[in-house]
Amino acid sequence: MSETRIIDASDPAAQNKVVEEVVGLLSAGEIVALPTETVYGLGADALNADAVAKVFAAKERPEFDPLIVHVGSYEQVDEVAEVPEEIKEVVAKLMKAHWPGPLTLVLPKKDCVPDIVTSGLPSVAVRMSAHPIMKAIVRGLGNPIAAPSANRFGRISPTSASAVEKELAGRISAIVDGGACREGLESTIIRPEAGEKRPTLHMLRSGPVTKEMLQRFGKVERPKRNRSNEAPEAPGQLANHYAPVTPLRLLRKFEDFKPEAGKKYGLLSYCGAEKTGFINAYEWDQVEQLSPGNGKLAEAAVRFFFVLRQLDESGVDEIIAEPVSETGLGVAIMDKLRRASVR
Ligand code: AMP
Ligand code: MG
């Protein structure tokens, strides 16, 4: 593959043309980066195994890491998944409350979904994006779209078309530029299961739909933290995911920081608050704040991957991250910081 085209989708009047063009590429088995409300995805026709194989190749993604399948309608869920009778009710409630939106459901798969999509698992992860362009493209294609995040494997997820370009230019047919992503963090992934009194919702990945938001639907079980890179308890949730190229260290308190002479350090600050003792305690070569407007966790989530990328490209030798409060959206942010700090 040589050139990657950038397709501008900022003009609503031109949306139909963009959708038609992208549907043409996907129908022909090409792969295209697409905007969603979480992060940019790298899309392929989910029912075309050869096209999906191109996604793995472009991302250099190992084949034990399954992809999320985007649907355009509730009916399309039944085309790819077999929802067991005992969880039909909770699945319907979850979809009604959070679709379209950043919630992915892991359900038993149907045979039409190629094994390469699910890494041979008997289940498939499905979601419906709220991004108008993504929605229109899935509907236009008529088939579901398999779309993992549009970055090279293990790297920072892209929240803008230019970030995708840095990751995948020359490896994919096109990038649809739909502006910056609204949520900025990957979807929450849950596997619903029947329980004795209430359903159990196994939270395989924390994200914008928080534990607090899910509790009314069932008993939420958080994943056990996986410290090794050998045996992921949930596929794809490797300990060192989301790593910047620059080493990153997550520190509990500033006193744990032991700088080496001659090394350049960048600080990933939460709100630049002085009371945590990080920002003014050292002469940092570069400081980036997750929530400079003091919007706290919501602002931090939207800016997370953008800020991480800024620090990664700033030329520092090491990134020091201060913790954010581990509630609500902060759970997903801390999870990503921990993974980014594993080498
Ligand atoms: P990404 O598309 O890069 O955001 O990653 C998709 C993630 O969804 C994978 O890394 C898995 O953790 C998860 N996933 C996808 N399919 C399944 C499945 N069938 N069972 C469990 N987890 C899944
Ligand atoms: Mg990813």
Side-chain angles (χ1 to χ4, degrees):
M1 172 115 7
S2 51
E3 216 192 317
T4 298
R5 282 176 38 227
I6 311 289
I7 302 173
D8 180 10
S10 58
D11 178 6
Q15 190 179 313
N16 288 350
K17 208 174 136 273
V18 169
V19 171
E20 197 181 315
E21 191 174 354
V22 175
V23 165
L25 288 169
L26 293 171
S27 306
E30 298 293 333
I31 56 176
V32 180
L34 304 165
T36 81
E37 72 277 39
T38 58
V39 303
Y40 272 72
L42 179 56
D45 177 343
L47 304 186
N48 178 342
D50 293 332
V52 174
K54 291 184 191 171
V55 170
F56 281 88
K59 280 185 60 106
E60 297 171 39
R61 184 174 174 120
E63 292 190 9
F64 56 76
D65 193 3
L67 308 184
I68 290 173
V69 170
H70 287 252
V71 294
S73 64
Y74 292 119
E75 294 76 56
Q76 216 167 28
V77 175
D78 298 323
E79 285 172 29
V80 293
E82 193 80 66
V83 186
E85 205 48 53
E86 60 274 20
I87 57 166
K88 275 218 161 93
E89 193 183 329
V90 66
V91 165
K93 282 185 185 162
L94 285 162
M95 288 177 180
K96 190 156 179 279
H98 290 288
W99 279 18
L103 180 69
T104 297
L105 301 173
V106 172
L107 299 166
K109 91 172 185 82
K110 283 201 172 152
D111 287 345
C112 66
V113 181
D115 281 337
I116 188 168
V117 173
T118 63
S119 307
L121 291 171
S123 57
V124 61
V126 282
R127 110 163 170 93
M128 187 191 284
S129 170
H131 197 291
I133 300 282
M134 182 66 177
K135 247 186 350 201
I137 291 171
V138 189
R139 287 186 187 156
L141 183 65
N143 275 357
I145 293 180
S149 52
N151 50 280
R152 275 175 281 156
F153 181 69
R155 301 280 296 274
I156 305 171
S157 300
T159 51
S160 67
S162 66
V164 178
E165 215 178 340
K166 285 184 194 144
E167 289 285 322
L168 298 173
R171 296 171 175 228
I172 62 178
S173 298
I175 300 170
V176 178
D177 186 351
C181 301
R182 199 177 65 203
E183 301 279 356
L185 291 182
E186 291 94 342
S187 61
T188 301
I189 305 179
I190 59 173
R191 181 170 61 80
E193 195 184 42
E196 265 180 36
K197 287 199 189 113
R198 310 177 68 207
T200 305
L201 307 176
H202 298 277
M203 202 158 176
L204 305 183
R205 177 168 76 185
S206 42
V209 178
T210 62
K211 179 181 181 183
E212 291 82 349
M213 291 156 85
L214 291 168
Q215 267 158 344
R216 70 182 168 104
F217 300 99
K219 184 161 174 279
V220 181
E221 296 274 0
R222 285 243 183 93
K224 288 180 204 75
R225 209 168 289 152
N226 174 35
R227 290 185 183 280
S228 97
N229 251 348
E230 281 154 20
E233 33 107 11
Q237 298 299 293
L238 294 176
N240 72 348
H241 236 83
Y242 313 104
V245 177
T246 313
L248 179 146
R249 235 179 332 151
L250 172 64
L251 296 183
R252 276 270 147 220
K253 49 189 195 315
F254 181 75
E255 289 68 47
D256 299 337
F257 179 52
K258 304 274 178 283
E260 284 172 42
K263 247 178 125 174
K264 286 198 232 164
Y265 292 95
L267 175 68
L268 178 58
S269 165
Y270 177 24
C271 340
E274 283 176 32
K275 67 173 173 6
T276 62
F278 276 81
I279 201 156
N280 294 328
Y282 184 73
E283 195 92 8
W284 305 100
D285 284 89
Q286 178 93 9
V287 175
E288 296 291 342
Q289 287 176 37
L290 286 171
S291 175
N294 230 356
K296 300 280 170 65
L297 289 170
E299 187 182 17
V302 171
R303 286 171 49 81
F304 182 74
F305 288 121
F306 168 74
V307 164
L308 202 52
R309 209 170 267 279
Q310 297 270 94
L311 278 169
D312 202 15
E313 291 169 0
S314 71
V316 296
D317 299 307
E318 189 167 8
I319 300 167
I320 302 298
E322 67 178 19
V324 306
S325 41
E326 207 160 2
T327 54
L329 280 170
V331 175
I333 297 174
M334 285 296 278
D335 178 55
K336 284 173 210 306
L337 283 175
R338 286 198 184 96
R339 289 173 201 280
S341 65
V342 175
R343 287 279 145 178

